[in-house]
Amino acid sequence: MAIKIGIITVSDRASAGIYEDLSGKAIIDTLNDYLISTWEEEYKIVPDEQGVIEKNIIDMVDHKNCCLVVTTGGTGPAKRDVTPEATEAVCDRLMPGFGELMRTESLKYVPTAILSRQTAGLRGNSLIINLPGKPKSIRECLDAVFPAVPYCIDLIEGPYLECNEDIIKPFRPKKNKT
């Protein structure tokens, strides 16, 4: 059975069809590079509306059984950027280390990375991660945090994600044999 992963692009213009969603496609391409496990995406493009973002995250986790939901866009300081607020509103617990590491990684490329408000959190047996909106930044951020994602999903009793270790090496502690 395929593992389900949610991808949500948050963009007023992409949701209105003004331009093509390259960011969501960048997430899908990156996950296809990383994962050996059979997986299928639940993919949505939504406007920068907190209630709509919350509804789609909840639907992907609670009804579509996605073990991972990755959002792109809406993480900056503009008034319409509300993805972190939507994520925090629907999560049981926050995972601030993801945002911290993504900002640290992005600072290697642009000084404006400090303006990003990406976050991550847990809802039930699912991990939700907010990524920036630029395709190049998506890969940089996922390269930084994804080694921890499979083990996080293990710990919250989600499915086992198997990775192409030539591309990305997940970290799972070795179990002591007693």
Side-chain angles (χ1 to χ4, degrees):
M1 188 154 111
I3 294 166
K4 290 196 173 185
I5 298 176
I7 294 104
I8 302 173
T9 297
V10 179
S11 167
D12 287 331
R13 290 176 289 175
S15 68
I18 295 169
Y19 63 71
E20 182 183 3
D21 172 31
L22 299 177
S23 300
K25 291 176 181 167
I27 293 170
I28 293 167
D29 291 344
T30 300
L31 293 175
N32 280 328
D33 286 348
Y34 289 174
L35 294 172
I36 293 172
S37 298
T38 302
W39 73 283
E40 62 185 48
E41 80 257 6
E42 290 289 336
Y43 174 60
K44 294 279 187 181
I45 303 172
V46 302
D48 290 275
E49 299 287 343
Q50 184 170 341
V52 175
I53 300 164
E54 289 176 19
K55 179 177 160 267
N56 279 277
I57 293 172
I58 290 168
D59 182 55
M60 287 185 175
V61 172
D62 295 1
H63 305 293
K64 305 270 182 8
N65 299 313
C66 294
C67 65
L68 174 64
V69 175
V70 184
T71 71
T72 176
T75 60
K79 288 184 180 181
R80 301 264 317 144
D81 292 333
V82 293
T83 304
E85 287 78 10
T87 300
E88 291 171 12
V90 301
C91 284
D92 305 319
R93 295 181 289 162
L94 295 179
M95 301 291 290
F98 282 87
E100 293 164 7
L101 180 56
M102 288 187 282
R103 280 184 289 281
T104 299
E105 183 64 23
S106 294
L107 276 169
K108 296 176 184 175
Y109 305 99
V110 293
T112 54
I114 60 171
L115 302 177
S116 182
R117 300 178 313 112
Q118 297 120 270
T119 191
L122 304 174
R123 179 180 178 88
N125 293 23
S126 300
L127 171 64
I128 297 115
I129 303 173
N130 301 154
L131 297 177
K134 294 197 182 331
K136 179 180 177 287
S137 299
I138 286 166
R139 183 65 182 237
E140 292 163 358
C141 287
L142 279 176
D143 281 351
V145 300
F146 203 84
V149 169
Y151 185 54
C152 180
I153 292 173
D154 292 348
L155 290 171
I156 59 175
E157 300 175 359
Y160 189 86
L161 294 179
E162 216 174 333
C163 296
N164 178 348
E165 295 201 18
D166 292 333
I167 306 285
I168 197 89
K169 292 189 185 317
F171 177 81
R172 286 183 168 106
K174 303 226 184 312
K175 293 184 179 173
N176 291 335
K177 295 178 183 174
T178 52

